[in-house]
Amino acid sequence: MKSIEEARRKYAQLRDYDTPSKLRAALKSEQGATLCSDGLRSICWKAFLLFNNLDRAQWPRRISESRSAYSALRYHFLKYIEHPDDLQSTVDPLADDEEALRSDELMRADIAQDVDRCLQENFFFREPATKTKMVDILFIFCKLNPDLGYRQGMHELLAPILWVVDRDAVDAKSESDADHDLLLQLLDPAYVEHDAFALLCPVMQTARIYYEHREQPSASGQLDTIPIVSRCQHIHNDLLVAADPELGAYLQALEILPQIFLT
């Protein structure tokens, strides 16, 4: 967790840019790596994915609305998960709730199985609190997207988002003045989970196509190829072979599936 003084120094590097296009151009330039590593990556992500602008006067309202929305979703979808005794199983009208709770518990078990294996070489991802955040975020996302549900690999998209938001958080005990209230609000450690969820949602708008696939045979009687597998096959069979024929032939001779080393 950063001190407010460290965050202030890093945030100063972003104040030279007043439009997303200018910031995007800077990030793509030679100074981009330094701007992200020495700056505040999570604020850049929020500017692009959550705020869609660099008008800092609007940021407090937007971040407050986003966090309030997640708090409401969290209460709605986790109230019986966190407080199962509130579900009166003896009352017939709640029979549907009981069935839904069992289904939710199965989904959370599937998510937890992947989360338990996620980046275990990093202590942060071995912490129970981190695992709980990841399971809750992915569970709520899946409840909002029942047509998609949970797919293996979604946790790998969430992991770096949660890591960056958590690393950028500012020590809540740090002293500041009114000029830095925005910085403290954007990097409030109490809302790491909320902000990670808010960033995951727009990422999944683009990435969800790789998780969408029909499990039923198509009209031809064959199962559709999963989009992410199709993309991996294209990289392996076409792009890699064109760029490095020797390596491509070697991997094909070993019969290593492209989705194993490309995902």
Side-chain angles (χ1 to χ4, degrees):
M1 187 175 296
K2 292 180 173 64
S3 67
I4 184 61
E5 291 78 15
E6 180 184 3
R8 185 184 304 157
R9 289 194 302 271
K10 294 177 179 295
Y11 181 64
Q13 300 182 59
L14 304 178
R15 299 183 68 88
D16 295 334
Y17 309 99
D18 55 4
T19 66
S21 59
K22 290 181 180 179
L23 179 57
R24 187 176 293 108
L27 291 171
K28 290 181 178 179
S29 68
E30 293 182 357
Q31 71 181 94
T34 301
L35 186 60
C36 268
S37 61
D38 292 344
L40 293 167
R41 191 183 301 268
S42 67
I43 290 184
C44 291
W45 288 357
K46 289 171 185 175
F48 289 129
L49 298 174
L50 186 57
F51 305 137
N52 296 316
N53 64 61
L54 291 182
D55 183 357
R56 293 165 178 80
Q58 297 183 24
W59 288 5
R61 176 181 59 82
R62 296 289 297 277
I63 197 70
S64 294
E65 291 174 350
S66 172
R67 290 167 176 173
S68 295
Y70 181 73
S71 293
L73 290 170
R74 203 178 190 288
Y75 172 78
H76 178 70
F77 289 120
L78 299 183
K79 57 183 177 181
Y80 293 140
I81 296 292
E82 295 182 338
H83 306 286
D85 291 341
D86 291 346
L87 184 62
Q88 300 296 325
S89 59
T90 59
V91 182
D92 288 342
L94 293 180
D96 289 343
D97 286 338
E98 279 191 347
E99 185 63 30
L101 180 59
R102 284 192 290 269
S103 177
D104 288 347
E105 289 173 342
L106 290 174
M107 181 192 297
R108 289 176 65 85
D110 288 341
I111 296 171
Q113 189 174 32
D114 282 347
V115 168
D116 283 340
R117 296 192 295 258
C118 182
L119 299 173
Q120 291 304 286
E121 67 277 8
N122 186 322
F123 177 76
F124 175 74
F125 293 101
R126 297 199 302 269
E127 293 181 338
T130 300
K131 293 183 178 183
T132 299
K133 287 186 178 73
M134 292 185 69
V135 171
D136 288 347
I137 290 171
L138 291 168
F139 173 72
I140 292 172
F141 174 83
C142 294
K143 292 293 288 184
L144 289 175
N145 297 271
D147 58 319
L148 182 62
Y150 179 71
R151 304 287 184 179
Q152 189 174 25
M154 289 180 177
H155 65 295
E156 294 175 341
L157 292 182
L158 172 60
I161 295 174
L162 185 61
W163 163 262
V164 168
V165 174
D166 185 83
R167 296 302 96 176
D168 278 355
V170 170
D171 185 355
K173 297 179 181 178
S174 299
E175 295 183 0
S176 183
D177 52 48
D179 292 338
H180 299 97
D181 284 349
L182 173 60
L183 191 57
L184 289 172
Q185 184 180 13
L186 291 174
L187 304 177
D188 191 336
Y191 294 100
V192 167
E193 180 180 334
H194 301 64
D195 294 352
F197 174 83
L199 292 171
L200 175 69
C201 288
V203 169
M204 283 302 302
Q205 287 181 2
T206 300
R208 67 175 291 151
I209 187 175
Y210 299 116
Y211 298 96
E212 292 175 331
H213 64 277
R214 294 186 302 177
E215 297 182 352
Q216 299 297 324
S218 61
S220 63
Q222 296 181 340
L223 289 174
D224 291 341
T225 302
I226 301 174
I228 189 63
V229 173
S230 178
R231 177 64 63 90
C232 289
Q233 289 174 343
H234 171 61
I235 295 173
H236 180 57
N237 298 331
D238 302 326
L239 301 182
L240 177 60
V241 170
D244 192 333
E246 183 178 355
L247 176 59
Y250 176 72
L251 292 174
Q252 289 180 353
L254 292 178
E255 298 183 348
I256 298 177
L257 295 175
Q259 57 266 36
I260 298 300
F261 66 89
L262 288 174
T263 58

